[in-house]
Amino acid sequence: MADIVDMSEAEDELYEHYAFKVEKGQQPLRIDKYLMNFVENATRNKIQQAAKDGSIFVNGTPVKSNYKVKPNDHITVKFEHPPHEYLLVAEDIPIDIVYEDDDLLVVNKPAGMVVHPGHGNYSGTLINGLIYHFENLPNNSSNRPGLVHRIDKDTSGLLVVAKTEQAMAHLSNQFAEKTSEREYVAIVWGNIEEEGGTVEGNIGRHPKNRLQNTVYEGDEAYKGKPAVTHYKVLERLGYVTLVSCKLETGRTHQIRVHMKHIGHTLFNDERYGGEKILKGTSFTKYKQFVENAFKVLPRQALHAKTLGFEHPTTGEWLSFSTEIPEDMQQCIEKWRGYAKHQSQ
């Protein structure tokens, strides 16, 4: 028991930042290595320092970084300060507002902007900008001002933000009841043979990498939440396909997970393996072409293009659409040229 340190008195004064329950099939693994897969933007040094400071607890007791995790262990990481996402700082960040009235605004978020603070991104987020430009935004159920829904950091496109409590409740309900409309445009690896289809598969945390989600089916379906994505082919571009995806549900990374599940990982989606050459030839020239396409679009090829919902006060149906951003458009043009060249 040499790796247990007595910090029981201090525990009452600490704030919980992370909490995990270890999966049943987990092999013994040092806790610093284990947490590397579960805490975004963490480094081994930071984790080891947190353990040294007595901030990592297993089943309520502080442990050192060489502690071996076991199935069903409850791991919590606690610090003396509250999580940074609760310490919101207003920042003068320009926001591309597509529409605004007294109840809400629709924002076109650029790729690279994080929607809300958390895990290593505590400033420069959309929320930091929103609270600078707008006072008294209502909190959602996660205490995040104005946010009705979110999109990933490296996904571009449309978001609706509530300005009143009533708008927050009404809009959140539309997303929960699946009456809002959201269409995304994506470039995916491979030629999708059919013209369109529907992916249904429960989405939950990946058992080995907490930074990914995965589809759970059959006897394991209970590990995820129901998710439905409708897709259709917009253009075939040789070894990649341009698709439209409509969300019926809104799970984290839903399109990224569902398209990977059917064998069509998003182009340059590093977290899900799309930054590798997944389809095509072994020719050096082709490899150079793909590398250039990655440089043009240094993120996953996903854009939240259209957004539709009922106005919370007037009941009018509102629909918004944005152009595909320049980086993604350039990538499409590159593949278009390549596909044309191949067919000649």
Side-chain angles (χ1 to χ4, degrees):
M1 297 290 281
D3 54 356
I4 302 285
V5 289
D6 185 14
M7 285 278 295
S8 51
E9 284 181 24
E11 194 178 339
D12 292 341
E13 300 162 25
L14 301 176
Y15 295 88
E16 187 178 285
H17 284 234
Y18 304 97
F20 313 109
K21 185 182 178 186
V22 180
E23 293 279 323
K24 285 177 185 171
Q26 176 66 46
Q27 298 297 309
L29 182 67
R30 281 176 60 113
I31 197 162
D32 53 356
K33 283 189 175 178
Y34 178 84
L35 286 174
M36 285 287 289
N37 286 328
F38 286 78
V39 179
E40 201 164 3
N41 298 328
T43 64
R44 191 93 176 268
N45 282 348
K46 277 184 187 172
I47 291 168
Q48 288 174 343
Q49 189 57 51
K52 212 172 181 180
D53 296 341
S55 295
I56 299 175
F57 297 79
V58 175
N59 305 323
T61 311
V63 297
K64 289 187 175 170
S65 52
N66 61 356
Y67 174 86
K68 298 275 179 68
V69 301
K70 298 186 291 296
N72 297 319
D73 271 351
H74 283 271
I75 302 171
T76 50
V77 183
K78 302 181 180 188
F79 296 109
E80 289 177 4
H81 59 87
H84 286 278
E85 50 261 48
Y86 298 121
L87 306 174
L88 290 175
V89 179
E91 295 176 60
D92 186 2
I93 298 166
I95 296 172
D96 181 3
I97 297 171
V98 175
Y99 172 86
E100 183 187 356
D101 61 27
D102 292 342
D103 299 288
L104 57 92
L105 57 142
V106 175
V107 172
N108 186 19
K109 185 189 84 66
M113 178 187 265
V114 177
V115 171
H116 58 74
H119 310 341
N121 297 294
Y122 302 121
S123 64
T125 76
L126 178 63
I127 281 189
N128 294 110
L130 285 172
I131 62 172
Y132 178 89
H133 295 287
F134 302 95
E135 289 181 4
N136 304 319
L137 288 173
N139 280 345
N140 66 12
S141 57
S142 303
N143 290 319
R144 290 180 172 136
L147 276 200
V148 177
H149 60 126
R150 57 179 287 276
I151 54 178
D152 298 326
K153 174 188 174 184
D154 289 325
T155 300
S156 53
L158 295 173
L159 283 164
V160 62
V161 175
K163 289 167 77 175
T164 68
E165 295 282 357
Q166 188 244 345
M168 174 66 79
H170 196 289
L171 290 165
S172 298
N173 191 51
Q174 288 185 59
F175 279 79
E177 296 294 321
K178 307 171 190 169
T179 57
S180 64
E181 275 184 14
R182 282 168 292 167
E183 182 201 5
Y184 290 69
V185 175
I187 306 168
V188 300
W189 278 108
N191 178 32
I192 299 178
E193 289 178 12
E194 59 279 5
E195 289 304 311
T198 297
V199 188
E200 292 188 59
N202 288 14
I203 290 178
R205 288 281 189 201
H206 194 289
K208 291 197 170 65
N209 185 346
R210 201 175 165 82
L211 304 183
Q212 286 187 9
N213 282 347
T214 191
V215 170
Y216 287 101
E217 295 177 306
D219 293 344
E220 291 196 315
Y222 71 91
K223 292 181 179 177
K225 291 180 179 174
V228 182
T229 306
H230 306 285
Y231 66 89
K232 73 172 187 208
V233 170
L234 297 176
E235 192 173 352
R236 300 178 192 284
L237 300 165
Y239 296 119
V240 300
T241 307
L242 185 66
V243 292
S244 155
C245 294
K246 286 194 174 176
L247 292 184
E248 202 172 295
T249 51
R251 306 297 172 211
T252 301
H253 301 171
Q254 180 170 319
I255 292 170
R256 300 163 72 182
V257 172
H258 270 173
M259 295 314 286
K260 179 174 182 170
H261 182 65
I262 61 167
H264 296 285
T265 304
L266 263 64
F267 185 77
N268 210 8
D269 187 351
E270 191 177 350
R271 185 165 293 187
Y272 288 93
E275 86 289 8
K276 299 180 183 75
I277 297 175
L278 299 180
K279 298 286 177 186
T281 71
S282 55
F283 298 134
T284 309
K285 215 170 175 184
Y286 173 72
K287 192 176 176 227
Q288 284 173 342
F289 163 78
V290 176
E291 292 296 336
N292 286 334
F294 284 154
K295 280 178 190 160
V296 164
L297 183 69
R299 62 177 179 105
Q300 70 256 11
L302 188 61
H303 175 63
K305 190 175 190 308
T306 62
L307 178 63
F309 52 86
E310 187 183 282
H311 192 281
T313 303
T314 66
E316 181 190 353
W317 181 259
L318 299 179
S319 189
F320 303 94
S321 189
T322 53
E323 294 296 317
I324 293 171
E326 185 65 23
D327 58 354
M328 199 163 157
Q329 196 59 55
Q330 280 183 22
C331 186
I332 293 166
E333 291 297 340
K334 268 189 170 301
W335 278 104
R336 207 172 263 155
Y338 184 86
K340 193 176 175 185
H341 180 72
Q342 291 301 104
S343 63
Q344 286 172 350

